[in-house]
Amino acid sequence: METVRDALRVGGTGRRTTVCGWVRTFRSGKNVAFASINDGSCHDSLQAVFELGLFDPGDFEGLCTGACVRLTGVLTDSQGREQDRELRAEELELLGPSDSDYPLQKKKHSNEFLRTVPHLRTRSATFTAVFRMRHHLATAIHDFFRDRGFFYVHPPLITSSDCEGAGETFQVTTLPLSSVPLRESGEVDYASDFFRRKAYMTVSAQLEAEPLALALGRVYTFGPTFRADHSDTRLHAAEFWMIEPEMAFFDLEDDMKLMEDCVRFIASRLEELCHAEIAFLSETVEPALASRYDAMLRKKFSRITYSGAMELLGSAQDGFERKVTWGDDLGTEHERYLCETAFDGPVFVTDYPATLKPFYHRLSDDGRTVACADLLAPQVGEIIGGSQREERLEVLAGRMAGAGIDPETYRWYLELRRWGTAPHSGFGLGFERMLMYLSGMSNIRDVLPFPRTYGSMV
RNA sequence: UCCCCGGUAGCUCAAUUGGCAGAGCGGGUGGCUGUUAACCACUAGGUUCGAGGUUCGAGUCCUCGCCGGGGAGCCA
């Protein structure tokens, strides 16, 4: 047995082989019938040709769109124009019949409809393409970091820290919800909870990555992240994946170079490995997809400071719903203006006001901005957020106090600065956002196999 | 959480001012064909999301609810 991919690409024609796969379309005539067989191994399907004289009419019962078959036959050069080779079938085994109720018919379905059948949409041309790209993106990321001496580390998914400012947390508990134990004060008595304290699903692995970076040097995490924000948009999921590298001895400039190298590397890897998928998605989903790869591979990423962006937005501000001045956070309309109109491609926005960023971003010499960089991309918004971390104990303690954070909660984090502190930097790359940008899919629900979003878990 | 749009056949959608519920694809039947989301003919297929209301009459207007989509905020 071999995959459709190998049957189409490996060796020459004339050999006898067996393939298994699902029927995309079936066409029957008087003397000959055709079935397109796709097994997910590649974008293209294998056309099977049935000389009807070799089969009983009953053999084709249930052999319609959606059926699963095992076919044995001889690979031959195709007489048709749309494929180079095809399988002249000699033996047909119907592993799993289908019928007209099969939800995926041989037509274009809306992504909204396909979301109602997540267990079947995986077989569609679009979603097999997206999930192959998802795999290649993940392996490209591992290759990128491994080749640069990074260690892949595994911080916990259940954590006691809510990573200040990163988003709402899902609480983890084994307390009985119908009769939660209370203390005399009326507060929940976590002493009898599983961990004997309050616990959450992680919203970011960054804080826990720092002790590993300040020991192993260059590390990265790649795992799921959980956010309970009530944000119901095409860009947000409650469970998504993030890549969070953390590097000792990197300043912001080193950090940004790594971000840019990383994005270029994975884009070039996908362009190399996913020709057919990119071509298909350009045709059916996002005509601008090819130009996105150009923007990532052949142009240096633009850079602008937050202050510079404010000046730029000020001079173009008439068209905005909300006007912004220095100290305000950028709204979606402003971010879109920067990457879609002003720079027309991925752009770094750096050096935000300290008041807009978490306490652990390194305070710059001007005393009012921090050493950080967000990478904004057209259509998908922020795909990377990174910073140099505050390594000075007194400055960090002061910023925590300013933010009203109990130092005892982050005692271990402060101790990293107390003994053997080192300049270090890192960033968080949104895996699904990146995949959206590289695949052209405009809704995060369509790059996750089983998306979990606010109010919905199909 | 807020704002906007939508829900009609299995799927994608149409239905003029409130006046007979429609098409394509898919299904069935027949025909034709080395076909390409095949093609041609015929045919079946409906609680118009749900509950109320207005009206002689509601897919269409009003109220509430449910579901979906887009946007805002927050973020990746």
Side-chain angles (χ1 to χ4, degrees), chain A residues 172-389:
Chain A
V172 179
T173 183
T174 56
L175 293 176
L177 293 179
S178 52
S179 60
V180 175
L182 299 177
R183 309 169 75 154
E184 282 181 17
S185 61
E187 293 169 339
V188 175
D189 183 11
Y190 285 106
S192 58
D193 201 353
F194 190 89
F195 297 105
R196 300 201 168 89
R197 61 189 295 184
K198 211 169 173 182
Y200 313 92
M201 300 303 292
T202 184
V203 290
S204 166
Q206 186 221 308
L207 296 187
E208 286 99 343
E210 288 190 39
L212 290 155
L214 295 176
L216 295 164
R218 300 179 186 188
V219 303
Y220 73 104
T221 73
F222 187 171
T225 296
F226 306 89
R227 302 232 176 135
D229 299 285
H230 292 193
S231 45
D232 189 10
T233 81
R234 64 185 181 86
L235 297 174
H236 293 85
E239 178 180 332
F240 63 98
W241 288 59
M242 261 204 306
I243 297 93
E244 295 183 278
E246 194 70 34
M247 299 76 67
F249 319 119
F250 270 47
D251 64 15
L252 183 66
E253 186 58 36
D254 299 324
D255 201 21
M256 289 169 70
K257 182 169 189 320
L258 188 73
M259 294 181 204
E260 184 160 353
D261 286 350
C262 180
V263 171
R264 279 177 197 280
F265 178 88
I266 59 188
S268 115
R269 180 66 74 83
L270 256 66
E271 192 182 51
E272 175 194 339
L273 294 177
C274 303
H275 274 311
E277 287 79 6
I278 293 169
F280 174 73
L281 293 168
S282 300
E283 248 172 61
T284 58
V285 170
E286 175 53 70
L289 190 55
S291 66
R292 286 189 188 171
Y293 281 82
D294 284 341
M296 281 179 286
L297 294 175
R298 287 168 264 288
K299 262 179 22 186
K300 198 163 167 52
F301 292 0
S302 305
R303 294 186 181 194
I304 190 169
T305 62
Y306 169 89
S307 300
M310 278 297 150
E311 280 180 35
L312 192 64
L313 292 166
S315 61
Q317 201 159 91
D318 292 346
F320 296 125
E321 296 263 318
R322 184 168 64 88
K323 300 199 172 193
V324 283
T325 54
W326 204 96
D328 293 334
D329 213 347
L330 298 178
T332 302
E333 58 179 335
H334 311 111
E335 293 185 351
R336 290 190 64 155
Y337 176 82
L338 291 174
C339 59
E340 292 173 20
T341 304
F343 294 102
D344 191 25
V347 55
F348 284 115
V349 182
T350 66
D351 303 288
Y352 278 69
T355 50
L356 295 178
K357 292 292 183 182
F359 66 88
Y360 48 77
H361 284 23
R362 190 180 196 279
L363 192 65
S364 298
D365 292 343
D366 62 15
R368 61 175 199 162
T369 64
V370 288
C372 67
D374 290 353
L375 183 65
L376 309 179
Q379 306 303 321
V380 297
E382 184 181 341
I383 51 179
I384 295 179
S387 70
Q388 186 168 341
R389 317 306 190 190

Side-chain angles (χ1 to χ4, degrees), chain A residues 58-96:
Chain A
D59 292 347
F60 300 107
E61 196 74 30
L63 188 76
C64 54
T65 301
C68 185
V69 294
R70 177 186 286 135
L71 292 170
T72 299
V74 176
L75 287 170
T76 58
D77 295 326
S78 178
Q79 298 172 32
R81 281 186 194 165
E82 301 198 6
Q83 59 279 318
D84 292 334
R85 59 172 75 168
E86 62 194 17
L87 184 75
R88 189 160 285 270
E90 293 167 358
E91 296 168 29
L92 160 65
E93 185 182 352
L94 196 59
L95 299 175

